Amino acid sequence: MSLTMAQLAVLLTLMSSVAALVFARQPRFMISLSFFLLGLSGLVAVAAGGMALLGNQVEQTILPIGLPWLHVCLHIDALAAFFLFIVGFVTFVASCYGPSYISRHADDGVHAVGTLTFFTGLFVGGMYLVLLAADAFSFMIAWELMSVASYFLVAYQHDRAENRSAAFIYLLMAVVGGAFILLSYGVLAGFSDGFSFASMAKANLTPAWATIAFSLAFVGFGLKAGIVPLHVWLPQAHPVAPSHISALMSGVMLKVAVYGFIRFVFDLLGGIHWQWGVLVLLVGAISALMGVLYALMQHDLKRLLAYHSVENIGIIYIGLGLSMIFTATNHKEVAAIALVAALYHCLNHALFKSLLFLGAGAVLEQSGQHNMEHMGGLIKKMPVTAACFLVGCVSICALPPFNGFVSEWLIYQAALQGTVLKSGILGTALPITSAMLALTGALAIACFVKVYGVVFLGLPRTEKIHEAHEVPRGMQFSQIILSISCLVFGIFPTWTANVLNVIPQKLLGTGFAGANGDSWLWLTPISKETASYGALPVLIGLLISWVVVYFFLHPPTRDNSIRIAPAWDCGFGPLNARMQYTATSFAMPIRRIFSFAWHVSEKVEPAHMGKGPHYFLHVSDWVWMYAYAPIGKIIHKVAERTARIQGGDLRIYLCYSFFTLLFLLWVIV
């Protein structure tokens, strides 16, 4: 039943794409119908994933399509069901947001909304199929469908040079990543008797070939997930896509890559080596720290959020690395805690990152630009968006009682069990990564204080902001649903962890006992004596504190009417927007402390021709400058020299053909 419903969800996404073609001349009706079918597919996927996950069902079917000797094999188990639930939920929310958001393009005659809705359906359908695929053939077809469809979504506003550049880099990286994944499956297939995952899971690889397969999969899935140093496409592609597509790409497409990595390592590859876990752990920690550091330096709101996706993917990989290390050293109960923590953070990141991207889309639509330096004061113009965005900020900063805190707290609990490991290398790696995670959390708080303060508080910096107003109800509804979800999954962590516990039970053979603790009120991953967390008591305590403070400031027994007066201006006259902290000035102290982490270019242009002095700041990514840019230059030079063979003379081309023919005849003889 669950698998049938999942296939129905795929069919609905395809119908959504077909509707975009059939009703292309009626754009408004087409938008409504396509997004209705897409949202319906999301609800069906949520139901299918929820049923399979709660019921711990495993279903499989073979469709009579594909190659003559290799039909498409689909299946659903707890792991696939969990990610299907995430993708379906965010798809439903994005489909509620999309119609109002893209209707402004329906009549401009510049951007074809039919193209956008057509590839959106294929993109979501590709993600569903990746999660349902049970053989390498189906998986790669679905993977490429997802990648190619998302390329067209990134290139949607192709009249802008930055969109074309970002789309090209994204497609290039996607092709390279797909090749690595294909090779990793090829290694497994070489040691098994088929391309189905069931056959691959029985492959008996030597340690050397297992390491090769793991390395290929780590690079291939890591490219799509956006781990450092394979992340360079992510901060370019996500900001230029339409905001509901950014929410889908950052919120769930990256999780599909994480799913592929978990499926490959924990389910198909067999025995896990602790060295692999150390690699994943260190790369995750570096990704988390570098992601938040680069996010701090961004002025483009969506680019900042994209770098935070790098950070959160790093946090997920920290959990996966811990789980791999504890699995390899036969501490499976701790490994189960780390795996549940990573999965929990996948869910949390999908919720709060989608919320933040949708909120950013609303802000960008009203402000007319991406640069935070020209915003400010939007809390009075867009109160619902401001409140929801604040929930997203608190959640991504891992502050209780919202959901981000729970998963990061579980990761800390797993890392603190490093004392059970009898290895100097592991005993050193775990505290270092824990410290990096703690530093990442502190920097994330600083970053979102900057974002919220500069965008929503203070005075409007432009006339456009003065004219801003709240977005349509569909866009508000999507943000409200995600905000409530962040709170619900934050105050019911025991129930959520208990549901997720079936996944390590299948992959590792054991779960963690704390998920079924003595009370649903307290989450106790190790034991009650070691550590416990009660989200609901924390929420009640916060509410009581708020009420106490409120009545302390507003006692009912005496007249304490608040006098509203102009803000203190230090004698300089009326306050204006230029007196406020900017994003650049707020981040300056952190930029000085971590100056080694960026390539910073700054200069001050003196006053000239009646204009005041101007400050320029540009922060570059070291990875791009010293890894990708040199490779690009080499390829460009090689291409230039190779192009010399194109002389434009027909006689030369005939000579090429003649000598090529001679060479082939020589080879055959």
Side-chain angles (χ1 to χ4, degrees):
M1 182 65 178
S2 301
L3 186 55
T4 304
M5 292 179 66
Q7 293 176 71
L8 176 61
V10 176
L11 181 62
L12 286 168
T13 60
L14 298 180
M15 291 171 62
S16 169
S17 293
V18 172
L21 296 178
V22 174
F23 299 102
R25 295 187 177 181
Q26 301 167 275
R28 295 197 177 276
F29 176 73
M30 178 267 293
I31 291 172
S32 301
L33 180 60
S34 292
F35 277 101
F36 171 75
L37 293 171
L38 196 65
L40 191 59
S41 81
L43 288 177
V44 173
V46 167
M51 286 172 57
L53 185 60
L54 294 172
N56 196 13
Q57 301 171 0
V58 179
E59 296 181 33
Q60 182 164 326
T61 187
I62 298 176
L63 302 180
I65 56 176
L67 299 176
W69 65 92
L70 186 60
H71 294 311
V72 171
C73 186
L74 303 179
H75 88 307
I76 189 168
D77 60 3
L79 180 63
F82 169 64
F83 283 92
L84 187 67
F85 175 88
I86 294 176
V87 175
F89 185 74
V90 176
T91 299
F92 166 70
V93 173
S95 66
C96 297
Y97 183 94
S100 301
Y101 180 73
I102 70 168
S103 60
R104 60 198 167 105
H105 295 308
D107 303 322
D108 64 5
V110 178
H111 304 106
V113 291
T115 304
L116 180 63
T117 50
F118 174 73
F119 284 108
T120 302
L122 292 183
F123 174 48
V124 175
M127 288 193 288
Y128 288 159
L129 285 172
V130 168
L131 302 175
L132 298 175
D135 63 87
F137 171 72
S138 309
F139 186 96
M140 292 309 304
I141 294 292
W143 185 271
E144 294 303 328
L145 175 63
M146 175 183 72
S147 298
V148 173
S150 53
Y151 159 75
F152 285 102
L153 296 174
V154 173
Y156 171 60
Q157 292 174 309
H158 52 82
D159 53 315
R160 302 175 182 171
E162 60 179 332
N163 287 52
R164 295 195 297 273
S165 173
F168 172 73
I169 293 171
Y170 171 60
L171 184 63
L172 184 64
M173 301 290 277
V175 170
V176 173
F180 273 88
I181 295 170
L182 184 63
L183 290 173
S184 67
Y185 282 132
V187 173
L188 286 185
F191 286 86
S192 62
D193 58 354
F195 293 95
S196 69
F197 287 169
S199 300
M200 290 181 176
K202 298 175 183 175
N204 186 20
L205 277 71
T206 63
W209 278 110
T211 302
I212 292 171
F214 166 78
S215 303
L216 292 169
F218 183 56
V219 174
F221 291 114
L223 261 167
K224 182 66 80 177
I227 58 173
V228 172
L230 309 173
H231 67 287
V232 291
W233 65 269
L234 200 154
Q236 300 195 47
H238 287 196
V240 299
S243 291
H244 66 294
I245 300 300
S246 301
L248 285 169
M249 292 182 71
S250 189
V252 292
M253 188 187 75
L254 304 184
K255 311 304 175 306
V256 173
V258 173
Y259 161 80
F261 183 69
I262 295 175
R263 174 71 71 189
F264 192 91
V265 174
F266 288 89
D267 193 23
L268 303 183
L269 199 50
I272 296 175
H273 299 271
W274 65 266
Q275 293 90 343
W276 304 349
V278 172
L279 176 65
V280 174
L281 181 68
L282 293 179
V283 170
I286 293 170
S287 299
L289 186 56
M290 295 303 295
V292 72
L293 282 173
Y294 277 104
L296 263 165
M297 294 300 109
Q298 304 305 313
H299 300 159
D300 185 311
L301 181 56
K302 289 181 71 176
R303 185 181 293 272
L304 180 146
L305 295 178
Y307 269 114
H308 272 289
S309 292
V310 177
E311 173 217 343
N312 282 277
I313 288 296
I315 294 173
I316 292 169
Y317 269 68
I318 289 175
L320 294 178
L322 288 171
S323 182
M324 292 170 68
I325 291 172
F326 286 115
T327 301
T329 54
N330 204 28
H331 297 89
K332 292 193 174 181
E333 188 166 330
V334 186
I337 297 173
L339 183 57
V340 167
L343 295 169
Y344 207 143
H345 204 73
C346 286
L347 170 66
N348 294 339
H349 183 246
L351 296 176
F352 58 63
K353 185 48 65 69
S354 301
L355 170 60
L356 290 170
F357 265 116
L358 296 185
V363 168
L364 301 185
E365 185 187 69
Q366 293 300 310
S367 65
Q369 56 187 304
H370 289 224
N371 193 341
M372 291 187 293
E373 305 285 27
H374 301 293
M375 299 177 187
L378 282 171
I379 193 170
K380 294 180 181 176
K381 307 289 182 180
M382 307 171 69
V384 175
T385 299
C388 294
F389 201 89
L390 181 61
V391 171
C393 293
V394 174
S395 300
I396 198 172
C397 291
L399 297 177
F402 290 93
N403 55 352
F405 174 80
V406 182
S407 50
E408 292 199 28
W409 183 76
L410 285 173
I411 291 176
Y412 282 120
Q413 294 304 314
L416 290 174
Q417 304 309 307
T419 53
V420 302
L421 303 172
K422 308 298 181 186
S423 168
I425 297 176
L426 299 179
T428 305
L430 264 61
I432 290 175
T433 52
S434 300
M436 291 172 72
L437 180 59
L439 179 59
T440 299
L443 292 171
I445 292 173
C447 187
F448 278 95
V449 168
K450 178 189 84 170
V451 172
Y452 200 81
V454 172
V455 174
F456 289 100
L457 304 183
L459 299 172
R461 291 179 168 87
T462 64
E463 284 300 320
K464 183 78 174 176
I465 298 295
H466 281 287
E467 300 168 0
H469 54 80
E470 194 54 89
V471 291
R473 290 180 180 176
M475 295 170 69
Q476 294 181 43
F477 173 76
S478 302
Q479 298 176 66
I480 292 170
I481 288 292
L482 288 169
S483 301
I484 294 173
S485 302
C486 287
L487 182 61
V488 168
F489 284 104
I491 61 176
F492 296 108
T494 308
W495 179 83
T496 309
N498 192 28
V499 172
L500 294 179
N501 205 23
V502 299
I503 298 175
Q505 285 172 355
K506 179 181 180 301
L507 298 178
L508 307 177
T510 184
F512 77 93
N516 301 307
D518 296 336
S519 168
W520 64 271
L521 202 59
W522 298 94
L523 181 63
T524 54
I526 307 299
S527 67
K528 289 188 291 186
E529 293 75 19
T530 304
S532 58
Y533 171 63
L536 201 54
V538 169
L539 176 63
I540 294 172
L542 289 173
L543 291 175
I544 291 174
S545 301
W546 183 83
V547 171
V548 169
V549 171
Y550 179 83
F551 280 105
F552 178 77
L553 296 176
H554 305 79
T557 55
R558 62 184 173 84
D559 183 14
N560 189 37
S561 57
I562 297 176
R563 184 172 63 91
I564 299 176
W568 183 45
D569 53 16
C570 302
F572 286 102
L575 293 176
N576 60 61
R578 289 177 59 82
M579 295 178 179
Q580 301 176 122
Y581 257 110
T582 63
T584 303
S585 58
F586 185 92
M588 189 273 286
I590 299 174
R591 189 170 66 250
R592 295 284 184 262
I593 296 171
F594 295 95
S595 58
F596 59 88
W598 309 283
H599 180 267
V600 179
S601 173
E602 54 184 337
K603 67 175 183 178
V604 177
E605 189 176 85
H608 182 64
M609 300 291 289
K611 295 183 179 178
H614 205 92
Y615 173 69
F616 294 93
L617 171 69
H618 182 69
V619 180
S620 304
D621 193 327
W622 283 110
V623 176
W624 180 264
M625 289 183 62
Y626 292 102
Y628 292 91
I631 294 174
K633 289 180 180 176
I634 292 171
I635 293 174
H636 187 68
K637 287 184 179 178
V638 171
E640 279 184 340
R641 295 186 179 182
T642 306
R644 292 176 183 173
I645 65 175
Q646 186 181 5
D649 191 330
L650 182 60
R651 292 170 296 181
I652 295 176
Y653 297 147
L654 290 175
C655 286
Y656 290 157
S657 302
F658 176 70
F659 287 112
T660 303
L661 183 61
L662 289 179
F663 175 74
L664 293 176
L665 288 173
W666 175 76
V667 170
I668 293 171
V669 172

